[in-house]
Amino acid sequence: MGRSSVYCDLAVEANSLAIERRGTSIPGVEEDVEYIDDIFVSRIKVTTEEAAHEIGKEMGQYISVHSHDLRGNNREEQNKLSGIIGEELKQLLGWPDEPDDDEPTTFVVGLGNWRATPDALGPRVVGHLLMTRHLYREAPPELRRGVRPVCGLAPGVLGLTGIETGEIVKGIIDKIKPDQLVVIDALSAHSMDRLGATVQVSDTGIAPGSGVGGRSLSINSGTMGIPVLAIGIPTVVHGWILADETLEGFRRESRRLKGIGPLPDQVKDRIIEDVLSPFGENSILTPKGIDELIEEVSRTLGGAINIALHPDITADNLSLYLK
Amino acid sequence: MGRSSVYCDLAVEANSLAIERRGTSIPGVEEDVEYIDDIFVSRIKVTTEEAAHEIGKEMGQYISVHSHDLRGNNREEQNKLSGIIGEELKQLLGWPDEPDDDEPTTFVVGLGNWRATPDALGPRVVGHLLMTRHLYREAPPELRRGVRPVCGLAPGVLGLTGIETGEIVKGIIDKIKPDQLVVIDALSAHSMDRLGATVQVSDTGIAPGSGVGGRSLSINSGTMGIPVLAIGIPTVVHGWILADETLEGFRRESRRLKGIGPLPDQVKDRIIEDVLSPFGENSILTPKGIDELIEEVSRTLGGAINIALHPDITADNLSLYLK
Amino acid sequence: MGRSSVYCDLAVEANSLAIERRGTSIPGVEEDVEYIDDIFVSRIKVTTEEAAHEIGKEMGQYISVHSHDLRGNNREEQNKLSGIIGEELKQLLGWPDEPDDDEPTTFVVGLGNWRATPDALGPRVVGHLLMTRHLYREAPPELRRGVRPVCGLAPGVLGLTGIETGEIVKGIIDKIKPDQLVVIDALSAHSMDRLGATVQVSDTGIAPGSGVGGRSLSINSGTMGIPVLAIGIPTVVHGWILADETLEGFRRESRRLKGIGPLPDQVKDRIIEDVLSPFGENSILTPKGIDELIEEVSRTLGGAINIALHPDITADNLSLYLK
Amino acid sequence: MGRSSVYCDLAVEANSLAIERRGTSIPGVEEDVEYIDDIFVSRIKVTTEEAAHEIGKEMGQYISVHSHDLRGNNREEQNKLSGIIGEELKQLLGWPDEPDDDEPTTFVVGLGNWRATPDALGPRVVGHLLMTRHLYREAPPELRRGVRPVCGLAPGVLGLTGIETGEIVKGIIDKIKPDQLVVIDALSAHSMDRLGATVQVSDTGIAPGSGVGGRSLSINSGTMGIPVLAIGIPTVVHGWILADETLEGFRRESRRLKGIGPLPDQVKDRIIEDVLSPFGENSILTPKGIDELIEEVSRTLGGAINIALHPDITADNLSLYLK
């Protein structure tokens, strides 16, 4: 393998890499950026198949919200972030602000392995959600106002179940017929700076090879038959990226120092494979405090999803609903 | 409610209660008993609808294996028990001893709430199983010999997911099309002596109201469309039973002492409701060491299921496979 | 054993039982009661050895706060309760409202077994506390204002460690020399109504036989050498109590119905022992939703302790600090 | 920082690095190596202060056992490894094969954070040990034969407790006066190949900066007052090492290709710091399947310690004792 085969989960990174390679912006990729206070929001649309191929991301919308407060422990800043991310989710969901009598049902799936801390984001976020579907139908209309029907689970990974997660999810969708699916997964980034600091929301679903676990599944509106919103936060950097970045750093330094040229790819790959053996492409890099990082970002992301799905929950009253 | 509305999970207890009420054995109920060393095995067949109604258990077969070693911590005795229970499971499954090239796939579901120790049996047992379905198809035939394709999960309870467990299970069955379903659940008993000491296996599935949680679901071959084997171990006694047993004990004593007659049911119910308020029928009685009891019986039951499903695993080599 | 040998953790219950036995209030026991909205607060002082012997509780102060909101899931009501319990804790601690430069250090110990849901209160509460001791010494004085040095752990139970918890706690106290000890434990009640609904705070420490686990240890200012505050919430009722209450209920009914007299103690004991066998005094009764009950009350009690120990934390801003 | 400030936990690696730097073996360091089947055993003695300074490890003995079966899932091979590691532990402990009437008590401490998978080795291993100290004193002499008194706990990390682990351990030692201390910790390696594949046992204790967490404590016979055996398995490689190895690989390649010389240290450090920012020295590299790796090696190491401490437990009957 080589760097190009390390899946790039974040569209904002994939776009930057493509721009760097090409030297100009990519036709068919639109990126709007905005600062809300010191929170950086990027909204990318990939509008053509050519653009999708060039940046290595499916056609569709990708919104990323970047702030180091996400992994901090300032609850006020986190609640504010939950509100901002929640608003972006609402935009993608395209819902009316006021619920009506026939509310759409949302099914939320937390991907990943709760026994491996860096991969536990999905299960942890699901644990922070207000599940209401089973209460909703029995409640009189006046009590339903303010919440929408939500259900969800964290099915675990292939090695624990023997079943592809995509099969589990599709089976449940066919049975309970929700109106939309929200999938949460721990992602990998190409930069340490993004760990626990960037949330990506997209309407393209989950692609094979994505996520910390390198999911083998494809979960999108095509395979699932209903709209799919994918939400993720990077919690690891692949070892390959670190080694590659190191060599690139060296090359830049060396050029200044010695005037040597770029390193042939097959030489780079051989060096890196040697260093990463025996786990190779399965080596992941995390910060030491990964448990606290996961705890903090799960809470903030859980809050954002609660805000997006239930009209009664806002950034101001969020702490009355979070577990 | 009254005692009659406390669901009786164990057929062996339900049959005894009915015999006590009627004064004779129940037509349409056949019970064979056997001692294997000091392990007590009861095999009950409920063969008519009238009998099913009278003892309050569905038509079908119920096998129970009773031994205090089940909850002990003697690994050799437990492995032996795993072997005996595994053989009973094999009988009910009706499988050939030697696997053939087109092996049936088993789907195992652990019911219950892993966050409430007395209800965590199902999830814990699933954690002890060898999941092979995802490896099976890729393996060459010579490597498949000795194991059969098994998959499974513990979906959690309604309050955590917002989805009836029966819907989750049926959805996955329709999608992955296993040949049979095995459902594991923590049960309630009518006697403290049975806690962690009796395993019940039946081909009737799970009835509404059964289990520690009083499942609201019906999981059987009719609702699931494939054969269903239900396996359970009692981990609690309902508070109602304890109070009722106390009053019965008193009545027997009093009769001897004072000659007073039986207590009218409505008086008994009022007394017990008062004592159990405010949790009422939701009061459960467990031993203090419930965590160790669950740990030990989960291991033994997981061993039994591994032995039943995989020809290569036996009571003798079980410890090479258990986690 | 008999009912009198079932330890009574709550002074408010012990006092009621003693009053019932004697027919009048107990000399040497002072009880003040107060309603704060619909929250019931009882403050008991046991002032003589005779009184201590009669009600079966050590000399000292016992404050209990009773409200069903404690086990509910209304976060606003729970935060209010955290504030009220926190104020009672402050009174017993006798601390100034404003911290000074040489703040006393508090050591908090969560007793109990985190693997048995009804006994997990102590470990769960410790998980909600703001630990600051290690940061405190390095912080400049202006940053120290608003928090006090707090440290703590949940050492687990004798069966898991092979060491009496009292030995672990005393060893750490002798080494780190905190100014006071706070001990948290799951308690047993004599009435289902109190489960998850009453908090008891006392300056008498932990007596042998107390708690869900029937601790074998004595943790008080005498054995530990520093002031000890014990805090607990009942999460179980002993099976013995349930059976006894049932018989008492029957006796009251029967008297009305038949005019029969009280049951001799040895008869009662024989009946109950028979019903509870084989786990006998180790049978405990909990509500089915014990996991949610523990989760909710742990959060509220953790909040109360944070409020009591850190001047900056109040009922209003509590949700910015809780995990 | 630079590579030299990345603590080298394994003496076998530290010795190799020093030999590479010096070009000859290190005076004052003796290394014996042995193959037991395909298991590699290295026994290093650091006998002078100069040697200790040169290789960066305290004076004392370091035994490492290296086999990829350690992280595999072949239970038979793992039991065999438990036996071999157990024998090495016995050698270092210097115990007689037959217990006598006044058995020494062993206190086992599992360092690390159970909530961060790569750092959870210590707590997990403690969970596999047979704790006997509390039973031992009450047992008659004939029942004591075959087991020795063992106790232990996993106190958690500074951020969770607010107390230095060394203080907790010393406090408990002073109180319960065990005869020896065994400390278990997850280590970091300089090579991916060693993750989950090397066990190091030493009589030098824990040095500040060691372990996955970079413990700030010093736990050795000097600070604790009793003999200390430290046992660890590497579960991570520091990001710094990976980047450094990559540059070294490049240099070797480049030399062949271009003839350029070694890279100045300050240039290397600048490159690596840039790549690893913002987590810097707190970046750790693990395999993706870290949860299974930890589970497998914890079981094998727990088995080894049980074999070393209890005469009745052997590689052959180990599975009767492991949880």
Side-chain angles (χ1 to χ4, degrees), chain C residues 10 26 45 67 77 81 84 88 91 113 116 135 149 159 172 197 223 254 264 272-273 284 290 319:
Chain C
L10 296 174
I26 314 302
K45 281 186 196 173
S67 166
E77 292 299 329
L81 269 168
I84 289 168
E88 299 294 333
Q91 298 291 327
N113 184 349
L135 307 169
I172 297 173
T223 57
S254 300
I272 298 177
E273 265 164 23
I284 54 174
I290 183 68
S319 46

Side-chain angles (χ1 to χ4, degrees), chain A residues 120-296:
Chain A
L121 179 79
R124 294 273 197 104
V125 170
V126 165
H128 281 294
L129 300 185
L130 207 64
M131 298 302 181
T132 51
R133 174 178 172 271
H134 57 308
L135 308 169
Y136 196 80
R137 288 172 194 193
E138 299 157 12
E142 64 274 17
L143 280 187
R144 292 188 198 172
R145 301 195 70 76
V147 293
R148 289 195 181 95
V150 173
C151 59
L153 88 165
V157 293
L158 183 60
L160 296 177
T161 64
I163 314 172
E164 287 286 349
T165 306
E167 292 180 298
I168 295 174
V169 175
K170 179 67 165 113
I172 297 173
I173 287 174
D174 288 348
K175 183 72 190 162
I176 69 172
K177 303 199 184 308
D179 298 279
Q180 60 184 357
L181 176 67
V182 172
V183 184
I184 303 154
D185 201 4
L187 305 179
S188 74
H190 281 223
S191 146
M192 295 292 286
D193 181 56
R194 291 196 177 274
L195 299 189
T198 297
V199 177
Q200 173 173 283
V201 183
S202 98
D203 59 6
T204 61
I206 301 281
S210 74
V212 168
R215 313 297 171 210
S216 55
L217 45 90
S218 188
I219 296 185
N220 54 44
S221 59
T223 56
M224 295 295 131
I226 53 173
V228 177
L229 214 63
I231 310 178
I233 296 177
T235 63
V236 307
V237 168
H238 278 284
W240 194 278
I241 300 296
L242 170 64
D244 192 66
E245 288 288 317
T246 308
L247 289 177
E248 285 304 301
F250 181 40
R251 195 178 59 77
R252 283 192 300 272
E253 289 286 342
S254 298
R255 192 161 39 189
R256 246 187 292 143
L257 293 169
K258 309 242 168 198
I260 66 169
L263 204 57
D265 272 356
Q266 69 270 39
V267 176
K268 277 175 57 170
D269 288 359
R270 197 171 58 232
I271 295 169
I272 298 176
E273 264 164 25
D274 193 48
V275 173
L276 289 179
S277 110
F279 297 102
E281 57 193 292
N282 288 318
S283 308
I284 53 174
L285 198 76
T286 69
K288 273 187 196 176
I290 183 67
D291 60 316
E292 287 171 34
L293 185 148
I294 290 282
E295 187 173 317
E296 295 296 336

Side-chain angles (χ1 to χ4, degrees), chain B residues 115 250 263 270 282 286 295, chain C residues 115 250 253 263 284 295:
Chain B
R115 293 156 67 183
F250 181 38
L263 204 57
R270 196 170 61 233
N282 289 317
T286 70
E295 189 173 315
Chain C
R115 292 157 66 182
F250 181 40
E253 289 286 342
L263 203 59
I284 54 174
E295 188 173 315

Side-chain angles (χ1 to χ4, degrees), chain B residues 131-207:
Chain B
M131 299 302 182
T132 50
R133 175 178 172 269
H134 58 307
L135 308 169
Y136 197 80
R137 289 170 195 195
E138 299 157 13
E142 64 273 19
L143 280 187
R144 291 187 199 173
R145 301 195 70 76
V147 293
R148 289 197 181 94
V150 173
C151 59
L153 87 165
V157 292
L158 183 60
L160 296 177
T161 64
I163 314 172
E164 287 286 349
T165 306
E167 293 179 299
I168 294 175
V169 175
K170 179 67 165 118
I172 297 173
I173 286 174
D174 288 348
K175 182 72 189 163
I176 69 171
K177 303 197 186 308
D179 297 281
Q180 61 184 357
L181 175 67
V182 173
V183 184
I184 303 153
D185 201 5
L187 305 179
S188 73
H190 280 224
S191 144
M192 294 293 286
D193 181 56
R194 292 197 177 274
L195 298 190
T198 297
V199 176
Q200 174 174 282
V201 183
S202 97
D203 59 6
T204 60
I206 300 281

Side-chain angles (χ1 to χ4, degrees), chain C residues 103-247:
Chain C
E103 280 298 340
T105 294
T106 305
F107 178 35
V108 185
V109 173
L111 302 179
N113 184 349
W114 50 80
R115 292 157 66 182
T117 313
D119 198 23
L121 180 80
R124 295 272 197 103
V125 170
V126 165
H128 281 293
L129 301 184
L130 206 65
M131 299 301 182
T132 51
R133 176 179 171 269
H134 57 306
L135 307 169
Y136 197 81
R137 288 170 195 193
E138 298 157 14
E142 63 274 17
L143 281 187
R144 291 188 199 173
R145 302 196 69 77
V147 294
R148 289 195 180 95
V150 173
C151 59
L153 87 165
V157 293
L158 182 59
L160 296 177
T161 63
I163 314 171
E164 287 286 349
T165 306
E167 291 180 300
I168 295 175
V169 174
K170 180 66 165 116
I172 297 173
I173 287 173
D174 288 349
K175 183 70 189 166
I176 69 172
K177 302 197 186 310
D179 299 279
Q180 61 185 357
L181 176 67
V182 172
V183 185
I184 302 154
D185 201 4
L187 304 180
S188 74
H190 280 224
S191 145
M192 295 291 288
D193 181 56
R194 291 196 176 275
L195 299 190
T198 298
V199 177
Q200 174 173 281
V201 184
S202 97
D203 60 5
T204 59
I206 300 282
S210 74
V212 168
R215 315 297 171 210
S216 56
L217 44 89
S218 190
I219 297 185
N220 53 44
S221 59
T223 57
M224 296 294 131
I226 53 174
V228 176
L229 215 62
I231 310 179
I233 295 177
T235 63
V236 307
V237 168
H238 278 285
W240 194 278
I241 300 296
L242 170 63
D244 192 66
E245 288 286 320
T246 307
L247 290 177

